[in-house]
Amino acid sequence: MIDLEPDLREMFRRREGDVRPVLASPPRIGSRVRWRRARRGLLAGLLASAVAVASVTGVRSLTGPRYVPGVSEEGTRTVELDVFEITYPADWFLTGVAIAPMEDPSWRIVLSNVDLGEPAPDPCSTSLPSHAVMLVFVIGTGPAEGPGWPVELAPAPEPCGATHLVAAWSRDRYASSYRAEVIAGSGASRSDVDAARRAFRTLRFPDESGAGILPYPEIDRDVSFAVLAGGRIDEEPWLLGADRSEANGFHVHVSTRDGGSGIGSMRTGSRTDVYLDPAVFGGNMYLWGAVQPGIARVEVRPEGADPFDPDMIRLPSFLGSDLRAFVAPMTGAPSGAIALYDGTGALVREVPFAPGAVLTPERDRDRPVAGAIADGRFFGTSWVLRPDGGEVLVLETADGDELARTGERGAELPPDALVLTTYAFEGDGPTQTIVFGHGGREVAFVVLVGDGGLPSTTEVIRPTDGRDPSFWGNAGARPEFAVAYDASCAFLRAIDLRTLEEAPEPEIAGSPCG
Amino acid sequence: MHEVEELSAMEARAIGAAVGAEASEGELGDLYLRSAPRAIRLAYFLTGDRDLAEDIVQEAFVRVAGRRLRGPETFDAYLRRTVVNLFVSTLRRRRIERSRLRTLRDPGVQQPYDPSARDELFRALNTLPERQRAAIVLRFYEDLPEREAANVLGCSTGALNQLVVRGMAALRERMRGDER
């Protein structure tokens, strides 16, 4: 056996000198820090104003939300991915697959004017509709070869469609080799072929746009994905994506450079006619979700702004869902409501929203269980979370079988306390871990963190009789920490959900209280 | 190797000023000059790439200096943890090391293992999965105690030890492979 430890230590010592000396601080480091602080302060201010909203209507008019649609007036979307930025017709489909993600990482990403029925098919070996037009990208991480960007599309030497154009280029980045093809069937319209060529010419790359990158698509999972929408608020890019994998099923999520938020387990025909996530990142709200096929129209009614119809998106069929997604990016972090209408224009329901308060999948808003603070259904088991005697929370099945409970508490909790219990529902799909408990009176936010590093907000229930608040949330398959913050978003304490022991404050992507 | 050092009163005041709400460009710059070299060395051994290491440390510095801290003494620990988190979460997705791995496998650049030529070890380290690599760097470069290294990686000490054991086993395997 080779004893490597001494060699490792010697190698570390010797190669410390590889690093260039730091002779000056980087340009703009101070302004970047101050901007980040200002953004945190802005968020705290917005949250505080939400608490005291009744007395600050004048202020609200200054900070009122503004809808920033992801579709341009010309009917195009601009989305920024890990590998490029592209502008394309808003009613086209952008899907992708990771090709052999572990051994030879590369993607195939396909922009198409029709729903192709499978994610990013190989166009030359798949039977496709004659009117289909595709712009196909194959992007790899191998050695950079070929000319740099920009390049022109040229006729393919061995065409496999009525129109077949190709281009290849390379970049000195981790995604280093690019090949693009425009392929159109014999029945494709000229305007659609031109739209694909225009989309090709809009390509930009993260370091050229100066915008950094969104962590999408991922290539360390065997995943098929669809880009549903994207855009920018105040130059900050956001993206609404969906993916499907053997391991995790169907999942929709919003991503920003400050963090992301997702919902899995969405099912057509469930009792929930809307899945809603008023996610807040960087001080702006990305109100998004999905509705059942019976909902024909969604109207967003933010407090302090005029109502509007958000961008509605049909999901590509490979995702296996006929839900329709919607997304309403807004400046600020307003509360408000969404109104759901059926095909006859009749109002089906009005659902309130508040920053970060996720409407949990499977929650039955029509028929809440009497006395419950939450209820739902996982893997065929209906569950109820309810207070028992006022000071204890009990998680039980709809039949009354107890699953878990918080411990007896006795006296009032210390102001910054966090006591909690977890229960994992397991079945045919990712584990769902319910985390619930009580906080001391200073606890205003409890955030759950999984191994993806992205926070999810819990619902905090603050009794009106002065008793300590309760909270609950779904930590998903791989919970790591529950973290408590006070009303100004200052850290109070963290609990490691694997050991239920006190833990240091974990690093959280984005603002934890969003 | 690094020891966990207690801050002098002067250092604590300087960090306190720089992480305060009214910090000047100069105070933040000074804090960067003080904190960055060590963090860049850590990031370099994690990534194997000097440019990437500097990028990661700049981003980590902005994140840590841009938040409210419990005290100046926590700054270095937060910076270390943020560097490791950025490395693990960001680079795991990008898999940039794959192209390096391919280069390593290229028979044209393989060399017999020579214990005195430890660049092979440096390159082999950079082919390990991110958390194994981070565990080894934290334990044998940063010389962190098990519990502290586990805290940085957000895992139990048992899980940390597993990461180290598996990482070292993989390194041995790769060095043996290079010997053949």
Side-chain angles (χ1 to χ4, degrees):
Chain A
M1 175 181 290
I2 307 169
D3 182 8
L4 285 182
E5 187 178 326
D7 288 348
L8 266 173
R9 290 181 182 280
E10 194 279 332
M11 182 273 288
F12 284 138
R13 264 194 301 274
R14 185 167 44 80
R15 295 203 61 146
E16 273 191 332
D18 291 356
V19 177
R20 291 182 283 259
V22 181
L23 302 175
S25 59
R28 296 182 57 245
I29 197 84
S31 58
R32 287 174 66 193
V33 169
R34 281 194 293 277
W35 166 240
R36 196 172 180 88
R37 288 175 181 171
R39 199 168 51 184
R40 290 177 66 87
L42 174 65
L43 178 64
L46 287 170
L47 288 168
S49 68
V51 171
V53 67
S55 63
V56 291
T57 40
V59 172
R60 192 177 62 187
S61 67
L62 297 174
T63 59
R66 178 172 53 89
Y67 175 42
V68 186
V71 179
S72 72
E73 291 180 358
E74 295 77 32
T76 58
R77 297 186 192 284
T78 298
V79 299
E80 182 178 322
L81 309 181
D82 228 351
V83 288
F84 56 56
E85 179 185 293
I86 187 170
T87 301
Y88 59 95
D91 57 351
W92 285 34
F93 294 85
L94 187 60
T95 64
V97 291
I99 306 169
M102 297 310 293
E103 294 303 323
D104 186 17
S106 57
W107 304 271
R108 184 165 57 244
I109 298 176
V110 174
L111 176 67
S112 59
N113 63 340
V114 294
D115 183 355
L116 297 168
E118 57 180 304
D122 183 350
C124 289
S125 58
T126 307
S127 176
L128 298 169
S130 65
H131 65 290
V133 176
M134 287 162 288
L135 173 55
V136 181
F137 299 97
V138 176
I139 301 162
T141 54
E145 292 173 2
W149 179 262
V151 295
E152 295 292 332
L153 289 161
E158 297 176 12
C160 69
T163 302
H164 190 172
L165 307 170
V166 297
W169 68 101
S170 67
R171 302 189 67 239
D172 184 20
R173 305 286 289 187
Y174 71 95
S176 49
S177 64
Y178 287 75
R179 180 179 173 84
E181 301 180 54
V182 171
I183 299 171
S186 56
S189 71
R190 188 74 248 165
S191 63
D192 280 354
V193 174
D194 288 345
R197 298 177 73 142
R198 274 197 304 276
F200 173 77
R201 286 196 296 270
T202 68
L203 287 178
R204 297 174 70 194
F205 301 93
D207 58 343
E208 292 167 6
S209 66
I213 56 170
L214 295 175
Y216 198 71
E218 301 177 8
I219 58 171
D220 53 349
R221 291 192 292 154
D222 189 6
V223 65
S224 305
F225 62 88
V227 175
L228 303 179
R232 288 172 185 266
I233 297 182
D234 299 335
E235 297 304 311
E236 289 295 314
W238 61 269
L239 185 111
L240 185 71
D243 51 54
R244 184 171 198 92
S245 67
E246 288 292 319
N248 296 317
F250 166 50
H251 184 247
V252 182
H253 48 91
V254 68
S255 300
T256 74
R257 290 194 297 197
D258 285 305
S261 178
I263 300 178
S265 307
M266 293 194 289
R267 291 194 299 115
T268 306
S270 78
R271 291 183 304 173
T272 302
D273 49 17
V274 59
Y275 298 96
L276 183 61
D277 182 2
V280 177
F281 297 105
N284 295 317
M285 177 175 283
Y286 303 85
L287 178 73
W288 68 278
V291 291
Q292 298 286 355
I295 303 298
R297 180 181 162 227
V298 174
E299 183 182 73
V300 178
R301 300 169 177 173
E303 289 180 4
D306 293 334
F308 60 88
D309 285 14
D311 185 10
M312 299 293 294
I313 305 140
R314 188 159 51 102
L315 301 180
S317 56
F318 81 87
L319 293 169
S321 171
D322 57 1
L323 295 170
R324 292 177 73 207
F326 64 91
V327 60
M330 289 179 275
T331 59
S335 297
I338 64 167
L340 309 177
Y341 297 89
D342 67 16
T344 69
L347 178 67
V348 175
R349 184 180 307 171
E350 199 175 283
V351 182
F353 66 82
V358 176
L359 190 65
T360 305
E362 300 297 307
R363 182 99 181 262
D364 184 348
R365 307 292 292 188
D366 282 335
R367 290 173 290 167
V369 177
I373 63 171
D375 61 279
R377 184 178 171 86
F378 290 126
F379 310 122
T381 300
S382 295
W383 56 268
V384 175
L385 181 64
R386 63 175 179 80
D388 183 11
E391 303 298 337
V392 175
L393 291 177
V394 177
L395 180 70
E396 59 188 23
T397 68
D399 297 330
D401 296 331
E402 184 171 317
L403 302 171
R405 67 165 53 212
T406 55
E408 297 288 341
R409 290 180 22 202
E412 182 180 325
L413 291 171
D416 62 347
L418 188 63
V419 293
L420 55 83
T421 296
T422 67
Y423 183 83
F425 290 88
E426 294 181 340
D428 184 19
T431 300
Q432 306 290 326
T433 307
I434 296 294
V435 180
F436 62 97
H438 297 282
R441 66 175 181 274
E442 285 185 4
V443 174
F445 302 96
V446 180
V447 170
L448 305 177
V449 184
D451 69 356
L454 299 178
S456 66
T457 310
T458 60
E459 185 173 358
V460 177
I461 301 105
R462 191 170 291 279
T464 54
D465 59 4
R467 284 183 293 122
D468 292 329
S470 307
F471 68 91
W472 80 279
N474 184 352
R478 291 183 288 272
E480 290 200 332
F481 299 101
V483 192
Y485 300 88
D486 69 12
S488 65
C489 203
F491 171 75
L492 292 175
R493 64 180 59 235
I495 302 292
D496 188 323
L497 293 171
R498 295 153 298 190
T499 62
L500 295 185
E501 291 177 354
E502 190 90 14
E505 182 182 7
E507 174 69 16
I508 292 180
S511 173
C513 302
Chain B
M1 294 293 152
H2 304 299
E3 297 295 333
V4 177
E5 296 171 347
E6 287 192 7
L7 296 179
S8 68
M10 187 179 295
E11 279 182 311
R13 274 198 302 276
I15 296 174
V19 298
E22 304 301 324
S24 68
E25 186 83 30
E27 285 167 332
L28 284 164
D30 288 347
L31 179 60
Y32 185 86
L33 291 176
R34 172 199 170 276
S35 312
R38 176 171 169 177
I40 291 173
R41 288 195 293 271
L42 167 63
Y44 173 60
F45 287 127
L46 293 171
T47 63
D49 182 319
R50 289 190 304 183
D51 295 332
L52 203 51
E54 290 171 5
D55 287 348
I56 282 179
V57 169
Q58 283 186 27
E59 177 62 22
F61 181 86
V62 169
R63 290 188 185 198
V64 177
R67 65 188 301 172
R68 191 183 330 210
L69 296 179
R70 277 174 289 179
E73 70 281 2
T74 62
F75 185 87
D76 289 336
Y78 274 121
L79 187 62
R80 177 196 293 128
R81 184 175 182 132
T82 306
V83 165
V84 174
N85 281 350
L86 282 173
F87 160 69
V88 171
S89 63
T90 306
L91 296 201
R92 179 167 52 190
R93 288 179 172 146
R94 298 184 197 173
R95 296 287 186 201
I96 66 167
E97 74 280 12
R98 295 294 177 194
S99 57
R100 292 197 202 96
L101 181 58
R102 190 177 304 164
T103 306
L104 269 180
R105 286 175 178 160
D106 182 343
V109 299
Q110 265 190 358
Q111 301 291 332
Y113 175 54
D114 172 359
S116 65
R118 293 186 177 89
D119 286 352
E120 291 299 326
L121 194 51
F122 177 77
R123 294 202 291 173
L125 178 70
N126 280 284
T127 66
L128 293 182
E130 291 82 0
R131 286 173 68 85
Q132 289 181 13
R133 201 186 320 170
I136 286 173
V137 171
L138 290 171
R139 289 287 286 130
F140 301 131
Y141 174 65
E142 288 277 303
D143 263 352
L144 292 187
E146 281 180 4
R147 188 175 180 81
E148 206 172 327
N151 270 340
V152 172
L153 281 172
C155 64
S156 66
T157 53
L160 173 86
N161 286 331
Q162 276 197 353
L163 288 171
V164 172
V165 167
R166 287 177 185 165
M168 294 296 272
L171 278 181
R172 282 189 203 99
E173 191 64 31
R174 276 162 206 174
M175 302 318 286
R176 277 199 204 99
D178 285 347
E179 276 185 304
R180 282 195 284 268

